[in-house]
């Protein structure tokens, strides 16, 4: 089964995803650069920082937060909270971290690629070591998550390397047709805190 996606289909599915996102107020944006389009989303997620037995900082995402539809912030930044008004109150060691995700098409690999940055409320970016610790323990995070210049913005972003995307997506029946992008984000995004509302399944109906 083919696990790649044409650029034409990528563009179509980006537009469909953003259109649906607008309907459910989920915060995805469509951006253009000359002939290229890509999609962007910002979320704020509580991240736990704790010390392990060797007194090294450990980092983990707390849980899948829920969206605050009453946020007064710009709609382009989707404020993520837990049910409590203070999303860090359940986790005293948590810090609220802003994640910005960019989904860009790779003509070399003919698949989407996820780029992201993450920073504290002070504006300080998470280090690469902290980013690695967000990844599942079983993943080959040192080669899977790398820092590289964004292919459109030409500034440093973290990248989920696309070398295994074709193989992964080729095993998913749901990657066929109009559900490729939704299936891809659902499968890879969770490694770095990005999840999709279950309502996106309607795009394949």
């Amino acid at each position: 089964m083919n696990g790649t996606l044409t650029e034409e289909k990528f563009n179509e599915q980006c537009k469909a995803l953003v259109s649906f996102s607008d309907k459910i107020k989920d915060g995805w944006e469509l951006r253009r650069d000359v002939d290229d389009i890509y999609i962007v989303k910002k979320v704020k997620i509580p991240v736990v920082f704790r010390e392990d037995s060797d007194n090294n900082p450990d980092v983990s995402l707390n849980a899948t937060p829920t969206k605050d539809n009453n946020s007064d912030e710009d709609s382009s930044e989707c404020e993520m909270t837990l049910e409590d008004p203070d999303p860090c109150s359940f986790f005293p060691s948590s810090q609220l971290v802003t994640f910005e995700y960019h989904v860009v098409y790779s003509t070399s690999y003919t698949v989407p690629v996820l780029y992201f940055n993450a920073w504290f409320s002070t504006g300080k970016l998470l280090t690469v070591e902290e980013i690695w610790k967000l990844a599942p323990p079983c993943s080959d995070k040192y080669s899977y998550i790398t820092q590289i210049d964004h292919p459109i913005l030409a500034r440093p972003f973290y990248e989920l390397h696309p070398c295994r995307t074709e193989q992964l997506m080729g095993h998913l029946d749901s990657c066929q047709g109009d559900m490729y992008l939704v299936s891809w984000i659902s499968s890879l995004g969770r490694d770095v805190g990005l999840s999709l509302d279950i309502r996106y399944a309607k795009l394949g109906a």
Side-chain angles (χ1 to χ4, degrees):
M1 189 178 296
N2 187 5
T4 62
L5 185 69
T6 67
E7 187 169 12
E8 180 182 6
K9 285 291 185 183
F10 172 79
N11 291 344
E12 290 175 0
Q13 292 184 27
C14 281
K15 293 173 183 176
L17 186 146
V18 171
S19 177
F20 189 80
S21 171
D22 289 343
K23 293 178 183 177
I24 65 173
K25 302 187 187 312
D26 195 37
W28 283 99
E29 293 180 14
L30 186 72
R31 296 191 182 174
R32 299 177 182 273
D33 180 79
V34 190
D35 295 327
D36 298 318
I37 71 169
Y38 60 104
I39 57 175
V40 176
K41 184 177 184 180
K42 282 186 183 181
V43 298
K44 290 183 179 179
I45 303 175
V47 176
V48 173
F49 291 82
R50 58 182 178 269
E51 298 296 320
D52 63 19
S53 57
D54 297 321
N55 293 322
N56 294 317
D58 190 17
V59 185
S60 64
L61 301 173
N62 285 321
T64 303
T66 56
K67 186 176 64 172
D68 178 6
N69 289 319
N70 297 318
S71 173
D72 292 330
E73 295 187 19
D74 189 295
S75 60
S76 64
E77 180 169 340
C78 179
E79 177 76 15
M80 305 296 284
T81 68
L82 298 171
E83 292 181 0
D84 189 274
D86 178 2
C88 292
S89 63
F90 291 120
F91 307 94
S93 59
S94 314
Q95 295 191 45
L96 203 59
V97 175
T98 299
F99 287 78
E100 181 173 309
Y101 303 101
H102 291 211
V103 177
V104 181
Y105 187 75
S106 168
T107 54
S108 300
Y109 288 91
T110 60
V111 295
V113 183
L114 181 62
Y115 297 88
F116 69 98
N117 266 326
W119 59 90
F120 299 103
S121 58
T122 60
K124 179 182 177 294
L125 290 170
L126 268 67
T127 65
V128 66
E129 290 81 9
E130 290 167 336
I131 293 294
W132 281 338
K133 288 182 177 181
L134 293 175
C138 60
S139 68
D140 185 12
K141 53 196 173 187
Y142 304 108
S143 59
Y144 179 49
I145 302 177
T146 57
Q147 192 171 41
I148 190 171
D149 280 351
H150 190 291
I152 296 174
L153 303 180
R155 54 187 174 87
F157 269 69
Y158 293 105
E159 174 198 60
L160 296 191
H161 200 280
C163 61
R164 299 176 186 172
T165 299
E166 180 179 356
Q167 180 182 7
L168 168 68
M169 297 304 292
H171 292 305
L172 299 179
D173 292 338
S174 59
C175 82
Q176 302 306 303
D178 295 333
M179 289 298 290
Y180 185 106
L181 193 59
V182 168
S183 298
W184 174 80
I185 294 174
S186 299
S187 299
L188 276 72
R190 58 190 176 187
D191 286 356
V192 289
L194 176 61
S195 60
L196 277 185
D197 191 297
I198 193 171
R199 289 174 289 180
Y200 284 98
K202 294 178 181 178
L203 288 174

